[in-house]
């Protein structure tokens, strides 16, 4: 559903410096909104111009953090098509997160349709091939008013978009991670395994401190023993030793990343042995290669990890495992490699 003629100026690009996008908000023209009351189902949503929204000061999301979000991307192919990558998995993950946070959620079809509409309405904001992607951010919030602790009486699903380049300021250069020993990201029985909004602000303290010391991001350890690797602030982590690629198992404290899942499948296709298990930090330190995965970061090489004031460096470069996996993943996402898995959805 488009609102006016300029909502889909098919062959025009927005007036942006496509060579220097970075990863910051540049709101595309349109957002999508859908509402429902508690114990009801979401109905048909609608597109509107990107604008501020109105919320009660007592909205559950403002007072108690009742909200989840997702992140997915639209890609422009060399022949001008717009592709989405596995949006059904984002929809399913939002449903799981919503259930954990006692919220109704859109159906998978409603979610995918909303993402398609956002990509189409904001087509001129999808960067040229090789220049970036259109990052689409769906939100599900408790928008109704509450005072005592409890689920909101009303919920709002929102989706907006922004063109983006590389997530890290290093661009495609290897990351330098810092292993955090004071703060933890998640604990057993908590909500670390879902994309709850309330999971993210608590990592800022450690992240800002690490960045002030020159590191790219923080790698967290488990909260019980403080000796097993969990995940980075905004992405999953993989460890390479010989022909074996290992990543921490998603046991309730680690987010089940969609890029993570896709990379595991691609790696197995290439003949690597992929293990999802507990990874002691000592094993990480002795790895041949390390890389991170996520919608925002894609597949990013790790050049070094600092733990207890000791810096360990890892192999990176053109013959690295991450490069092979990155090239295949991005090739499928951008239509350069034939999608034999049914992962992409054309808008």
């Amino acid at each position: 559903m488009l609102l006016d003629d300029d909502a889909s100026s098919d062959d025009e690009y927005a007036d942006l410096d496509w060579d220097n996008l970075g990863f910051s908000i540049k709101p595309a023209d349109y957002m999508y909104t859908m509402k429902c009351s508690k114990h009801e189902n979401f109905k048909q949503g609608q597109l509107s111009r990107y604008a501020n929204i109105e919320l009660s000061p007592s909205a559950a999301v403002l007072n108690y953090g009742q909200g989840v979000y997702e992140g997915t991307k639209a890609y422009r192919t060399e022949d001008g098509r717009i592709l989405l990558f596995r949006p059904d998995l984002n929809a399913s993950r939002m449903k799981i997160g919503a259930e954990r946070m006692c919220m109704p959620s859109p159906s998978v079809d409603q979610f995918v349709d909303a993402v398609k509409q956002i990509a189409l309405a904001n087509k001129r904001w999808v960067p040229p091939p090789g220049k970036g992607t259109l990052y689409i951010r769906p939100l599900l919030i408790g928008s109704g008013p509450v005072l005592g602790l409890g689920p909101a009486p009303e919920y709002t699903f929102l989706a907006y978009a922004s063109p983006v380049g590389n997530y890290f300021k290093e661009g495609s250069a290897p990351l330098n991670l810092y292993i955090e020993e004071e703060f933890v990201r998640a604990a057993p029985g908590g909500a670390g395994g879902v994309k709850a909004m309330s999971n993210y602000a608590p990592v800022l303290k450690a992240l800002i401190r690490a960045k002030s010391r020159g590191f790219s991001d923080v790698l967290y350890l488990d909260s019980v023993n403080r000796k097993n690797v969990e995940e980075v602030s905004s992405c999953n982590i993989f460890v390479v030793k010989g022909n074996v690629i290992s990543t921490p198992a998603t046991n309730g404290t680690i987010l089940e990343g969609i890029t993570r899942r896709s990379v595991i499948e691609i790696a197995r296709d290439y003949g690597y042995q992929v293990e999802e298990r507990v990874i002691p930090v000592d094993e990480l330190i002795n790895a041949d290669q390390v890389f991170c995965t996520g919608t925002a970061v894609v597949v990013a090489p790790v050049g070094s990890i600092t733990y207890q004031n000791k810096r360990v460096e890892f192999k990176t470069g053109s013959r690295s495992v991450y490069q092979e996996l990155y090239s295949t993943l991005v090739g499928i996402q951008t239509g350069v490699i034939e999608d034999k898995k049914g992962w992409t959805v054309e808008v």
Side-chain angles (χ1 to χ4, degrees):
M1 181 184 115
L2 299 180
L3 298 179
D4 46 45
D5 292 339
D6 65 354
S8 60
S9 304
D10 285 351
D11 299 320
E12 296 179 10
Y13 282 109
D15 184 17
L16 288 176
D17 180 0
W18 297 109
D19 293 316
N20 296 287
L21 281 178
F23 202 96
S24 60
I25 185 68
K26 301 171 186 66
D29 295 323
Y30 290 91
M31 64 183 191
Y32 182 94
T33 309
M34 187 164 44
K35 294 180 180 289
C36 86
S37 298
K38 186 167 59 173
H39 306 311
E40 293 186 354
N41 295 321
F42 279 94
K43 302 290 196 301
Q44 178 66 40
Q46 64 179 12
L47 289 165
S48 60
R49 284 284 184 179
Y50 180 92
N52 292 341
I53 62 172
E54 188 173 293
L55 278 178
S56 165
S58 57
V61 68
L62 298 181
N63 289 262
Y64 298 117
Q66 191 187 23
V68 295
Y69 78 93
E70 277 298 325
T72 187
K73 288 177 175 178
Y75 307 79
R76 190 184 294 271
T77 66
E78 290 288 351
D79 59 3
R81 293 176 297 137
I82 304 297
L83 300 179
L84 305 174
F85 185 72
R86 311 189 82 175
D88 57 310
L89 296 188
N90 293 95
S92 297
R93 190 169 65 179
M94 176 171 273
K95 287 182 74 69
I96 293 169
E99 193 278 331
R100 177 66 178 82
M101 304 295 281
C102 300
M103 309 167 72
S105 61
S107 69
V108 170
D109 287 344
Q110 286 176 320
F111 181 103
V112 172
D113 179 65
V115 171
K116 283 181 177 179
Q117 289 197 48
I118 281 291
L120 182 61
N122 295 304
K123 186 175 180 180
R124 71 193 194 100
W125 294 84
V126 182
K131 301 295 186 182
T133 56
L134 183 68
Y135 185 88
I136 299 171
R137 170 61 61 81
L139 308 169
L140 179 61
I141 61 173
S143 50
V146 293
L147 185 59
L149 179 59
E154 181 188 77
Y155 296 87
T156 301
F157 171 86
L158 289 166
Y160 64 90
S162 173
V164 297
N166 286 312
Y167 181 78
F168 291 106
K169 65 180 178 59
E170 292 89 342
S172 57
L175 306 178
N176 299 304
L177 301 182
Y178 175 79
I179 293 182
E180 176 61 51
E181 294 184 87
E182 180 183 358
F183 300 110
V184 297
R185 181 191 166 273
V194 299
K195 213 165 176 63
M197 294 176 181
S198 51
N199 288 343
Y200 291 85
V203 309
L204 295 177
K205 184 91 169 175
L207 182 60
I208 291 170
R209 184 170 66 180
K211 289 193 172 186
S212 72
R213 297 172 179 172
F215 296 102
S216 311
D217 210 328
V218 174
L219 174 58
Y220 293 91
L221 302 178
D222 74 290
S223 63
V224 177
N225 301 304
R226 305 289 180 100
K227 68 176 185 180
N228 300 317
V229 175
E230 293 236 311
E231 66 177 295
V232 181
S233 303
S234 57
C235 45
N236 297 114
I237 193 159
F238 286 77
V239 175
V240 182
K241 189 74 172 179
N243 192 55
V244 179
I245 300 176
S246 304
T247 189
T250 53
N251 55 6
T253 59
I254 296 171
L255 188 70
E256 294 196 33
I258 292 157
T259 308
R260 173 189 181 276
R261 178 170 169 175
S262 305
V263 163
I264 287 172
E265 189 167 332
I266 292 169
R268 286 176 174 152
D269 289 345
Y270 277 124
Y272 291 102
Q273 179 181 333
V274 182
E275 299 177 349
E276 299 177 69
R277 58 179 176 81
V278 172
I279 301 177
V281 68
D282 294 339
E283 182 179 332
L284 168 72
I285 296 303
N286 291 309
D288 296 333
Q289 301 173 44
V290 180
F291 61 88
C292 298
T293 66
T295 298
V297 307
V298 194
V299 182
V302 174
S304 76
I305 290 178
T306 299
Y307 177 54
Q308 295 181 341
N309 296 317
K310 295 179 182 177
R311 176 183 169 110
V312 179
E313 297 189 347
F314 303 98
K315 175 187 173 185
T316 58
S318 59
R319 293 192 174 184
S320 300
V321 172
Y322 99 88
Q323 186 63 57
E324 182 178 31
L325 301 175
Y326 171 88
S327 298
T328 302
L329 176 68
V330 173
I332 294 171
Q333 291 172 333
T334 57
V336 173
I337 295 175
E338 182 184 356
D339 175 19
K340 297 180 179 179
K341 298 177 178 294
W343 285 351
T344 55
V345 177
E346 186 169 347
V347 175

